[in-house]
Amino acid sequence: MKPPIFITIMLTVISGTMIVMTTSHWLMVWIGFEMNLLAIIPILMKNYNPRAMEAATKYFLTQATASMILMMGIIINLLHSGQWTVSKDLNPLASIMMTTALAMKLGLAPFHFWVPEVTQGVSMSSGLILLTWQKIAPLSILYQISPTINPNLLLTMSIMSVMIGGWGGLNQTQLRKIMAYSSIAHMGWMTAITMYNPTMMILNLIIYIIMTLTTFMLFMHNSTTTTSSLSQTWNKTPLITSLILVLMMSLGGLPPLSGFIPKWMIIQELTKNEMIMMPTLLAMTALLNLYFYMRLTYTTALTMFPSNNNMKMKWRFECTKKMTFMPPLIVMSTMLLPLTPMLYIL
């Protein structure tokens, strides 16, 4: 793709999300989502092949269906209230339809089937945009309508997402699919807390984006897409191998790493609201995620791949990609825990 075209498309994606985040008019919210959707399709098909085409088609059909349901919810709300403002008092039926549409856009269970397929079909950089930037707009709308969301619906979807995010990733060898299931599980954690403390959801989203961005950048730096190719990195880049280990532990939510902050705060907030079963289930299913992160670290850093050469010979090409922000991102992905009191006050 030529740079001017790529820049124009990326600007459209960014402005679509910004419109959704900043507007107070339901029609503009819908237009923002549509702009974002139509501009992301060529980015997904950047490496033009049948798999990318299939992935982009799946993504388009899912998101178009979600947009249609969202528009229907908006119209039902308009008929009942007579105004287009994004307000706190939604009609119950409209609220359920909007929540369902946003869940489809986010890839929450039971609307999660497209996430691993689409992420696996597109390139690493497109998958990164899909699992980070594309989550911001739907979550900003969930944040705005959080007081009127049906709690049973949202909590059921969130617990299902965490479970499916854990179970689905257990048997995977493709890194993009593992990251997609990890994304589904993280979305479950975020939506679980939306009802009780929406600001906590924003904090979780920021930390999730930082960790996912760093992980994808390390994978792209190594040009690895499967666990078997990841297991050969010790021979060439031992430092990056150990960094992937630490990052996986952070994604799994182990203290004293950054990934522990959102899990700790969400469990604390849910127990404050006299919910015992929900955080217990979330914490137990998070162990499933931890298992497949541990499996990744095991294949990457804790085993030596059978290789004929025991001298560190340069048998792989040098990486030419410049990963500018990698050092600060790695620090933020692993060492934010001491800042927890400050984040809690914010």
Side-chain angles (χ1 to χ4, degrees):
M1 196 184 289
K2 290 177 182 172
I5 297 171
F6 182 70
I7 289 165
T8 310
I9 290 170
M10 278 306 290
L11 282 173
T12 314
V13 170
I14 292 165
S15 57
T17 304
M18 289 300 175
I19 287 169
V20 174
M21 288 169 70
T22 52
T23 187
S24 59
H25 193 285
W26 275 119
L27 187 62
M28 288 304 290
V29 167
W30 188 79
I31 288 169
F33 275 127
E34 290 305 297
M35 278 174 66
N36 184 290
L37 166 62
L38 294 173
I40 200 83
I41 300 295
I43 291 174
L44 297 183
M45 290 201 292
K46 200 166 53 174
N47 296 355
Y48 189 72
N49 56 49
R51 287 208 67 181
M53 210 169 154
E54 184 190 337
T57 310
K58 283 176 181 170
Y59 183 74
F60 175 76
L61 291 173
T62 317
Q63 299 294 314
T65 310
S67 291
M68 184 183 72
I69 296 169
L70 179 68
M71 196 60 185
M72 198 167 170
I74 291 169
I75 290 168
I76 289 170
N77 188 56
L78 174 69
L79 292 173
H80 278 84
S81 66
Q83 42 102 18
W84 287 93
T85 316
V86 180
S87 61
K88 298 277 187 279
D89 48 340
L90 284 177
N91 176 266
L93 178 60
S95 174
I96 287 171
M97 293 192 80
M98 286 175 190
T99 311
T100 310
L102 294 168
M104 283 179 81
K105 283 193 174 291
L106 283 172
L108 280 177
F111 310 106
H112 65 282
F113 296 99
W114 62 270
V115 185
E117 296 299 320
V118 174
T119 314
Q120 182 57 32
V122 299
S123 65
M124 273 282 190
S125 51
S126 304
L128 170 61
I129 294 169
L130 195 69
L131 295 182
T132 53
W133 183 262
Q134 292 300 93
K135 308 291 183 193
I136 297 172
L139 282 171
S140 70
I141 296 299
L142 270 183
Y143 179 90
Q144 288 180 61
I145 65 168
S146 57
T148 50
I149 294 174
N150 184 336
N152 298 332
L153 174 71
L154 198 65
L155 290 175
T156 307
M157 286 198 296
S158 64
I159 202 84
M160 280 171 69
S161 299
V162 179
M163 284 178 172
I164 284 164
W167 277 320
L170 288 181
N171 215 17
Q172 301 298 335
T173 55
Q174 297 288 335
L175 298 178
R176 280 168 292 189
K177 276 197 174 177
I178 287 174
M179 291 310 292
Y181 280 111
S182 156
S183 169
I184 293 167
H186 276 94
M187 289 302 129
W189 279 88
M190 282 179 224
T191 46
I193 198 62
T194 309
M195 301 294 307
Y196 303 101
N197 192 338
T199 319
M200 203 77 83
M201 185 228 341
I202 303 292
L203 171 68
N204 194 340
L205 177 66
I206 292 165
I207 293 175
Y208 159 75
I209 286 176
I210 292 168
M211 291 193 298
T212 308
L213 187 62
T214 318
T215 312
F216 265 94
M217 280 173 92
L218 285 171
F219 291 160
M220 282 152 69
H221 187 270
N222 286 332
S223 306
T224 47
T225 53
T226 60
T227 46
S228 59
S229 61
L230 199 61
S231 61
Q232 298 169 12
T233 51
W234 66 270
N235 205 3
K236 182 71 192 298
T237 50
L239 180 63
I240 281 183
T241 307
S242 52
L243 285 173
I244 289 174
L245 182 145
V246 178
L247 256 170
M248 287 294 137
M249 296 296 95
S250 186
L251 269 168
L254 283 188
L257 302 165
S258 299
F260 180 58
I261 303 171
K263 287 185 168 54
W264 172 25
M265 285 188 163
I266 286 171
I267 289 171
Q268 185 183 337
E269 197 66 32
L270 286 170
T271 43
K272 269 187 197 170
N273 285 284
E274 296 179 1
M275 294 185 74
I276 303 301
M277 281 308 292
M278 184 76 180
T280 310
L281 273 170
L282 285 175
M284 283 165 67
T285 44
L287 293 173
L288 293 168
N289 284 69
L290 193 58
Y291 172 77
F292 64 74
Y293 294 135
M294 279 299 292
R295 216 183 66 195
L296 268 186
T297 57
Y298 181 71
T299 51
T300 312
L302 303 178
T303 53
M304 280 194 158
F305 193 77
S307 164
N308 297 328
N309 58 323
N310 291 324
M311 310 164 292
K312 295 218 185 322
M313 283 176 67
K314 309 257 180 192
W315 52 278
R316 294 185 68 179
F317 289 118
E318 282 288 338
C319 178
T320 53
K321 299 188 188 95
K322 287 279 176 282
M323 299 290 172
T324 320
F325 298 109
M326 193 126 64
L329 280 171
I330 289 167
V331 171
M332 288 165 75
S333 302
T334 50
M335 300 181 189
L336 284 182
L337 194 66
L339 298 177
T340 310
M342 185 187 82
L343 297 171
Y344 196 70
I345 290 163
L346 294 175

